[in-house]
Structures are given as structure tokens and as C-alpha cells.
Amino acid sequence: MTDTAVQRTDARYTWGGDEFLFVEIAEAMSLAANYKANAMAALLTARSLPGVTDICPANASLLLRFNPDILPPDRLEAEVRGVEDEVAHSSHQTLDTRIIEVPVWYDDPYTRETGARFRKGHQRPEGTDLDFAAEENGLASPAEFIRRHHESPWLVSMVGFVAGLPFMFQIVPQKDQLEVPKYLSPRTDTPALTVGHGGCFACIYSVRGAGGYQMFGIAAAPIFDPAQRLADFRDFMIFFRPGDIVKFRPVEEAEYREIQAQVDAGTYTYRQAPVVFDLQRALDDPAAYNKDLLERLHGN
């Protein structure tokens, strides 16, 4: 992220059994590597190649599942390499996506209670995950960490691990990224919708379960709706898609409860707006680019 030019490098292609092609774009996560994964996935999806059954972009890679009886491996590799070359030589490094506002109750009682139960597996047994995160980033207080966490948008770099869980990468210069190590020993419990952080990645736990990311708060509305009760899930039970842009918005308990009531009534919808993710702008001047993204979210 410190470079202002988009780097063009050849990916590494490997096979997984008879049905999987893995494309490693880079060894490390970056906005450029993630853009390439999403752009390749979008082009391959649009081509609807016979025999390709799944296309899964990740942080800095792409996985394709295919039927070799319909699409021979050599033909698939040729198609994917052609798409890679097309993305690399595109004069406009952009993706049509959306920006979404996610209300979060930071420093909530649910994640605080869970964190207190698992301090033996934590680097800093005293205090809270927010205390630890502030110290790790050289910040004066948990409140300063929370401000830094929600003031800039995050790119959904991949979705997975459990159903609907988004991994998110902060759209800021690398020197300004928040980084916090995971727990030394994973928890056996994490509240559903916990906003967590591990390494450089933020996430939202879509369901209750085990986890090792630091816990900072709890999102107010679901991101995984198997029953598809809410309007935002009409087309699919998983809300987030790779390439989405997230803006966290802090809320207090009263608004959190109000949103929960709307969810229970089936009337809640996320605030969101269509945007074009422009890789070069994000690399050249992230502060100005983020300001423009947030203005679009609020209709200015």
C-alpha cells in the first residue's frame, strides 16, 4: 500500500486433485493483489465457462472448481491466464461495488464478558481486548483505537471460514493500518456478530462459535440469514460479497436495541450505496478517496 503504482506480476498456478485450480496472485495481502483476485473472478463469472462450478476469490488468490469431463484442465488454465493478462493490462483498474454502513456497539457487555472468561489464553490477562489493541498500536486509550477503527472504510477482501464471515482490510496507508495479534490460545466461544481483529484483518463473526480474534464490539444486525427474512437477504442468505466496502458506525445501547427490534420485526435494512472501487485512487490518495466514498454513502 505504500507504492503509488499498481504492480503487475504473474500469478502462480497449481492444481488440487482433478477438480480445482488455485491461482496464487501474491504471497502477501495488498489492495492491488485483492483487486486482481476480484477482477479476475468478475470476468470469469461473466464468461460462464461450461464446467466451472465455483469461483472463489480470496485475500490474494483465486480458487476455481471445475468438471474436467466438461472443461479440460489445459483449456481452463488458458482461459484463466488470458483473464489475468486482461486484468493486468486494463487501463482502468476499477470494480463496481457498494459501500455499506454497519452499526456497531463498541465495548459492549457481551464481548467484554466473553473476553473476561478467556483471559488465560490472552497476551494481556489484565484489562480488555480494547486495552490491549490500543497499547499494541501506540494509542493513548481504547477510545482512540475505536475512533481509528471506525473513521475509515474497510474493503471486504474475502468471505469464508464460516458461512458469511467477511475479512476486511483497512483502506489507509500501510503505516496507518491497525494491527493486533490473535489470542495466544483460541476461545471456545465468541458471540454472534462480534467485531473482531487479527493481524491486519477485521472481521464480523456471522455465528456464535470458537475464535481467536481480538473482540472490540458487536454488530447490531445480522450478516447471515438462512431463513432470508430480511429484505437485504432476498437474493442470498449471505450479506457480504468480496469487494464490498464497509464503514463501521458506532452506536450506543439504545440504538443497538432499536435496531434489534427492527430485525425482529423483519423491517431492518442496511444503509448502502453503489460505488466504483478505483484501485489507483485508493493507492494514490486514500484520505481523499475515502472522503468521496463516505459522501456517496450519505448521499452528498
Side-chain angles (χ1 to χ4, degrees):
M1 283 217 23
T2 54
D3 295 335
T4 58
V6 177
Q7 299 298 313
R8 293 178 177 172
T9 57
D10 292 331
R12 184 163 67 96
Y13 288 66
T14 54
W15 299 94
D18 296 329
E19 298 181 356
F20 295 92
L21 173 60
F22 179 66
V23 184
E24 184 183 31
I25 293 165
E27 293 183 356
M29 168 66 192
S30 68
L31 286 180
N34 189 250
Y35 165 81
K36 188 173 182 179
N38 284 322
M40 289 177 65
L43 286 175
L44 287 165
T45 299
R47 293 189 182 186
S48 300
L49 297 174
V52 173
T53 57
D54 201 7
I55 301 172
C56 182
N59 292 328
S61 63
L62 183 67
L63 182 69
L64 295 95
R65 186 174 188 177
F66 69 105
N67 184 339
D69 294 329
I70 299 174
L71 182 61
D74 57 345
R75 184 186 157 201
L76 173 63
E77 182 173 347
E79 291 278 359
V80 178
R81 287 188 181 276
V83 166
E84 181 191 1
D85 187 67
E86 183 177 342
V87 170
H89 292 89
S90 173
S91 58
H92 299 289
Q93 308 268 317
T94 60
L95 282 173
D96 292 331
T97 185
R98 56 184 178 164
I99 183 168
I100 304 155
E101 183 178 84
V102 176
V104 177
W105 184 8
Y106 286 98
D107 200 15
D108 66 287
Y110 309 113
T111 58
R112 284 179 68 95
E113 185 277 332
T114 303
R117 284 192 282 122
F118 291 95
R119 297 325 286 173
K120 288 184 179 180
H122 198 279
Q123 296 91 333
R124 189 182 189 275
E126 68 283 359
T128 67
D129 292 7
L130 278 166
D131 294 327
F132 175 66
E135 290 179 2
E136 282 290 299
N137 287 273
L139 302 175
S141 66
E144 175 65 10
F145 181 88
I146 290 171
R147 183 186 67 79
R148 289 272 301 275
H149 191 269
H150 72 71
E151 70 178 358
S152 60
W154 299 72
L155 176 72
V156 175
S157 56
M158 63 174 283
V159 178
F161 186 69
V162 295
L165 185 150
F167 289 82
M168 293 169 280
F169 191 72
Q170 202 170 16
I171 308 177
V172 295
Q174 189 173 28
K175 64 181 178 61
D176 296 328
Q177 282 185 343
L178 298 172
E179 295 190 11
V180 191
K182 297 187 290 185
Y183 275 44
L184 293 177
S185 178
R187 300 177 304 275
T188 57
D189 189 23
T190 307
L193 299 178
T194 290
V195 175
H197 201 106
C200 66
F201 292 105
C203 81
I204 303 174
Y205 286 78
S206 53
V207 296
R208 183 178 182 180
Y213 277 22
Q214 307 291 332
M215 299 180 293
F216 302 149
I218 194 160
I223 60 172
F224 176 54
D225 181 9
Q228 296 178 269
R229 290 179 56 250
L230 299 175
D232 288 323
F233 298 85
R234 188 167 293 132
D235 296 329
F236 194 40
M237 67 181 69
I238 290 172
F239 181 64
F240 287 112
R241 303 187 290 263
D244 281 344
I245 297 171
V246 170
K247 172 61 173 64
F248 295 116
R249 181 174 67 84
V251 299
E252 299 298 330
E253 180 177 2
E255 186 173 359
Y256 172 84
R257 303 293 181 200
E258 180 182 335
I259 292 171
Q260 290 276 289
Q262 293 176 32
V263 170
D264 291 342
T267 59
Y268 181 78
T269 57
Y270 279 96
R271 171 179 279 179
Q272 56 184 289
V275 295
V276 175
F277 176 72
D278 189 314
L279 175 62
Q280 199 64 63
R281 286 190 63 198
L283 293 172
D284 288 346
D285 191 347
Y289 182 59
N290 289 345
K291 183 175 182 292
D292 181 57
L293 287 174
L294 299 182
E295 287 175 349
R296 292 177 183 273
L297 177 63
H298 294 98
N300 296 327

